[in-house]
Amino acid sequence: MFPGMSRRDEKSVGLVLVTYGSAEDLPPFLESLPAAVEPLALEVVGVDNASTDESVEILEKFGARVVRNRENVGLTRAINQGAAELDTEWLLIANPDTRLDPGAIAALVETARSEDRIGLIGPRVSRLDGSPYPTGRRFPSIGIGIAHAVLGSVWPSNPATRAYFGNPVTSVSDVDWISGCCMLFRRTAFDAVGGYDERYFMYFEETKIALDMHRAGYRVVLDPAVEIRHREGGSTRHAPFRKLRNHHRSALRFYIDYNRRTPWILFTPLVAAGLVVRGALSVLRPALARNR
């Protein structure tokens, strides 16, 4: 590199890897990483949200730079912390509970390079058992959102949930939003929208930044020819009640952000009430099952 040149002038990928009790997931993820990015240059910044396991030691042994937070500052703030440490052409956000196939990230970069307006791109996602994990989803209308929230856990194939998840994508396509387990940003687009919205502690953060991309004039794209695998729930298996609270709080916040300038904002109290009921049912259902 010539003196004074930015790393952003290189064909380079910077990975932000947020950890929170992730020692179990990190080794297989890190093992899959180099082959997924080659032949592009790679920088890794780990941001640890006060793990009590060996997450930091595993990251440092791999050669990552590590930002250590003294408390769990949330996913979005941690991602923005890591992004501030990088100056690469492409910014990869991936969960430790993913597995990257060889060439996967390099292929996403190649697709994104085809059009300057592609600000965010993601792959097809499969669970570890090979079954499809929904990505390339729609922004939910109020009707679909309520029906999915009420029926999704008891009738997974209901029409509203199918509509929310969208039809399977068979070619490179524009979508509303993609799963946050693996997102590749054009760095200039990420900077243009100001990074992740830190009002979202976690959950719906990927939906909000996709919305920000659309509103800034960038394309959000899914490339189904690229596949990664995702251990569903691996990054959120700790503190289940906090998870539940944050999920419903973020769902309401996104509803407000998405509908702020539409008549649907008047239905916010109804949506809030529905989320409270759904949250209560989510807590009661396992408790009742244990008492049977």
Side-chain angles (χ1 to χ4, degrees):
M1 184 186 302
F2 294 106
M5 281 186 63
S6 167
R7 290 183 181 273
R8 202 171 297 180
D9 296 324
E10 299 181 2
K11 296 178 179 179
S12 53
V13 175
L15 166 65
V16 177
L17 189 61
V18 178
T19 53
Y20 177 65
S22 304
E24 180 181 345
D25 292 315
L26 278 170
F29 171 80
L30 293 171
E31 182 179 348
S32 72
L33 179 61
V37 177
E38 292 175 351
L40 303 175
L42 173 67
E43 290 188 59
V44 180
V45 171
V47 183
D48 186 75
N49 270 338
S51 295
T52 56
D53 61 8
E54 295 78 32
S55 294
V56 169
E57 289 76 10
I58 294 170
L59 285 169
E60 290 178 336
K61 184 177 180 181
F62 180 78
R65 284 182 284 151
V66 181
V67 177
R68 301 185 187 216
N69 289 322
R70 294 184 178 180
E71 60 182 2
N72 185 355
V73 300
L75 181 60
T76 53
R77 183 176 168 190
I79 291 174
N80 288 342
Q81 284 180 308
E85 299 290 321
L86 291 162
D87 190 22
T88 51
E89 181 182 7
W90 302 95
L91 186 63
L92 174 65
I93 312 298
N95 289 355
D97 56 8
T98 56
R99 311 287 184 271
L100 307 176
D101 284 357
I105 304 307
L108 290 178
V109 169
E110 189 65 25
T111 300
R113 279 200 182 119
S114 66
E115 221 268 75
D116 288 345
R117 288 196 310 114
I118 296 177
L120 170 59
I121 187 169
R124 176 166 52 93
V125 183
S126 298
R127 298 180 177 90
L128 295 186
D129 64 5
S131 61
Y133 180 84
T135 188
R137 306 184 198 183
R138 293 174 54 184
F139 294 133
S141 65
I142 184 171
I144 287 175
I146 291 174
H148 166 67
V150 172
L151 299 173
S153 60
V154 294
W155 181 17
S157 62
N158 73 82
T161 296
R162 293 201 308 270
Y164 172 56
F165 287 159
N167 296 321
V169 173
T170 57
S171 60
V172 175
S173 302
D174 288 82
V175 295
D176 282 356
W177 61 283
I178 58 177
S179 170
C181 68
C182 183
M183 308 177 83
L184 182 75
F185 293 90
R186 188 182 301 274
R187 182 58 193 256
T188 51
F190 183 88
D191 291 343
V193 301
Y196 280 77
D197 188 335
E198 295 184 9
R199 296 176 304 140
Y200 292 73
F201 187 87
M202 66 183 303
Y203 298 110
F204 285 85
E205 78 287 337
E206 71 267 55
T207 321
K208 177 56 163 57
I209 199 167
L211 178 64
D212 293 341
M213 286 281 165
H214 286 293
R215 288 177 171 171
Y218 289 100
R219 293 174 59 194
V220 177
V221 168
L222 178 67
D223 186 349
V226 180
E227 180 183 22
I228 65 107
R229 287 155 291 152
H230 175 49
R231 179 185 177 186
E232 189 173 11
S235 60
T236 57
R237 58 185 177 270
H238 306 287
F241 290 104
R242 176 188 284 184
K243 164 188 169 181
L244 189 67
R245 181 190 64 193
N246 285 327
H247 185 276
H248 289 81
R249 180 182 293 170
S250 292
L252 180 62
R253 180 164 282 142
F254 181 77
Y255 179 85
I256 294 169
D257 286 340
Y258 183 53
N259 294 288
R260 190 177 300 278
R261 294 180 177 86
T262 75
W264 295 109
I265 196 68
L266 299 175
F267 289 88
T268 298
L270 176 63
V271 173
L275 288 168
V276 168
V277 171
R278 184 179 187 271
L281 290 173
S282 298
V283 172
L284 289 173
R285 191 179 296 118
L288 291 173
R290 285 193 301 268
N291 292 331
R292 286 177 182 173

